[in-house]
Amino acid sequence: MFQGHEVTVLDNFFTGRKKNIEHWIGHENFELIHHDIVNPIYIEVDEIYHLASPASPPHYMFNPVKTLKTNTMGTINVLGLAKRVHAKVLFASTSEVYGDPEQHPQDEEYWGHVNPIGPRACYDEGKRVAETLCYSFAKQDHVEVRVARIFNTYGPRMHMSDGRVVSNFILQSLQNEPITIYGAGNQTRSFQYVSDLVDGLLALMNSNYSLPVNIGNPEEHTILSFAEIIRNLIGTSSKIVLLPKMEDDPQRRKPNITRALTYIGWQPKVGMLDGLNRTIEYFKAELSHAKRKESFNVYGHSASKKSLDQDLAKFSDRKQHNTL
């Protein structure tokens, strides 16, 4: 918008929050429409960033049919809009299309290893069929498409009840609670900071490359070592507790970003420690705000610490915390 672009945001706020975009409300180039893309919409646009879909396991498993509808019917509606107004579409796909991969690291030629009827299938297969829809519209109706396969991403404005590794580990550490890991902790993930993701999406949209592109940070860590890194950065005495592993939890995840480097000139810039420190500061502020809000709005000035801690527990659903 600072470059003069007019931006229209569609959101049904199933997982999003108005707080995340409130600083743009009132800007002359910004418009917010409360809308669910499962239903068609008729507006004039030049480019579409199709980011709609719950992305953390607790959210997409909460209503698997809705997740599938968003990624199928919603994608058809987005591509239909693009066809009508001759807009370019960037589809936010996911590393989950690779499932529990048998190839490591994962490049874009890998077809994946996905359980089509498992608990993660609504998201994994939803994104896979959405990619198919993108390229079907491209072949049949000449819609210009870009497909970003996004790997694990973290940073400010994550919700406290997001249910993913980074948010849960940070919140557990900040509250001096046990850091819970599902499985032995030797499963690996590669985490990228959100500003790197944004740069990657912009670079892909502005490129002439139409095949899928991995957008992720190839720096790989075990979940156990990642928990230890966060614990040390915060300086907490939280114990690490191992719980039974989750069904279909991918054991290794690392992007091959050769295609991104070659065709769109992109690679991550933000180091892990730098990104984590920024995210920790954000969650400190969120936690402090939540405590003040609960103290004054729910319990009054005489709130006890025990009551506050019990109420704050609802912000950290840890049942699915390390499934991404």
Side-chain angles (χ1 to χ4, degrees):
M1 284 184 283
F2 289 136
Q3 297 173 355
H5 299 295
E6 295 180 358
V7 176
T8 301
V9 173
L10 308 182
D11 203 330
N12 67 353
F13 297 104
F14 176 65
T15 59
R17 296 180 296 170
K18 287 185 179 179
K19 179 181 177 182
N20 289 343
I21 47 87
E22 64 183 3
H23 53 292
W24 290 114
I25 293 175
H27 192 284
E28 61 181 356
N29 290 342
F30 180 82
E31 181 181 10
L32 174 64
I33 301 175
H34 193 158
H35 183 81
D36 190 325
I37 63 162
V38 169
N39 303 307
I41 189 165
Y42 302 94
I43 55 177
E44 296 295 322
V45 292
D46 300 310
E47 294 181 345
I48 302 171
Y49 289 81
H50 176 16
L51 311 176
S53 178
S56 75
H59 292 156
Y60 66 64
M61 292 179 188
F62 175 76
N63 189 338
V65 173
K66 177 65 174 175
T67 299
L68 280 164
K69 288 172 71 175
T70 300
N71 283 294
T72 52
M73 296 169 61
T75 300
I76 289 171
N77 288 331
V78 167
L79 292 165
L81 171 61
K83 176 185 174 182
R84 286 192 298 273
V85 301
H86 305 289
K88 186 193 301 185
V89 178
L90 185 149
F91 173 61
S93 189
T94 172
S95 59
E96 290 296 324
V97 300
Y98 301 125
D100 188 5
E102 297 174 322
Q103 173 184 300
H104 192 79
Q106 297 83 53
D107 63 35
E108 295 87 348
E109 297 295 324
Y110 179 52
W111 288 358
H113 178 227
V114 176
N115 178 359
I117 59 172
R120 305 167 71 95
C122 60
Y123 185 68
D124 299 7
E125 297 290 28
K127 290 293 187 180
R128 286 162 69 94
V129 75
E131 286 194 14
T132 303
L133 284 166
C134 286
Y135 290 109
S136 295
F137 269 79
K139 291 177 182 177
Q140 180 173 311
D141 299 307
H142 308 291
V143 174
E144 195 172 358
V145 299
R146 305 288 183 265
V147 174
R149 290 180 178 164
I150 301 170
F151 282 67
N152 297 72
T153 306
Y154 70 97
R157 300 200 179 108
M158 295 179 76
H159 200 286
M160 290 214 296
S161 61
D162 183 74
R164 283 184 273 195
V165 171
V166 176
S167 55
N168 282 342
F169 284 2
I170 291 176
L171 283 170
Q172 289 169 334
S173 297
L174 286 173
Q175 298 177 89
N176 230 8
E177 296 177 352
I179 300 174
T180 49
I181 294 177
Y182 286 78
N186 55 7
Q187 63 269 48
T188 68
R189 295 294 184 270
S190 302
F191 297 95
Q192 70 178 332
Y193 191 67
V194 63
S195 63
D196 283 331
L197 169 62
V198 172
D199 290 343
L201 296 181
L202 291 171
L204 179 57
M205 177 66 93
N206 293 327
S207 75
N208 294 318
Y209 195 74
S210 61
L211 291 177
V213 176
N214 289 337
I215 304 293
N217 192 322
E219 183 179 344
E220 183 181 18
H221 294 272
T222 67
I223 292 297
L224 181 58
S225 67
F226 195 67
E228 292 170 343
I229 289 169
I230 289 176
R231 182 175 63 178
N232 292 337
L233 285 174
I234 294 174
T236 183
S237 58
S238 295
K239 294 182 179 179
I240 295 176
V241 177
L242 302 181
L243 300 175
K245 65 175 292 188
M246 304 302 297
E247 183 179 356
D248 293 340
D249 187 23
Q251 293 306 294
R252 301 191 76 184
R253 188 60 63 73
K254 176 182 178 179
N256 180 324
I257 62 169
T258 301
R259 188 175 282 187
L261 280 165
T262 303
Y263 294 102
I264 67 172
W266 176 87
Q267 61 181 331
K269 298 177 181 177
V270 179
M272 185 184 66
L273 296 182
D274 185 14
L276 284 176
N277 279 320
R278 298 183 202 178
T279 308
I280 288 167
E281 290 305 309
Y282 165 77
F283 276 113
K284 282 181 180 178
E286 286 289 286
L287 204 55
S288 176
H289 174 73
K291 287 181 178 179
R292 289 196 305 271
K293 182 178 178 181
E294 294 301 329
S295 176
F296 287 103
N297 294 345
V298 179
Y299 299 106
H301 296 284
S302 61
S304 69
K305 183 179 184 301
K306 181 178 179 181
S307 296
L308 288 172
D309 289 344
Q310 288 174 344
D311 195 68
L312 282 167
K314 69 184 179 183
F315 289 106
S316 301
D317 178 4
R318 302 173 181 90
K319 292 181 180 179
Q320 308 285 348
H321 85 282
N322 69 339
T323 52
L324 267 185

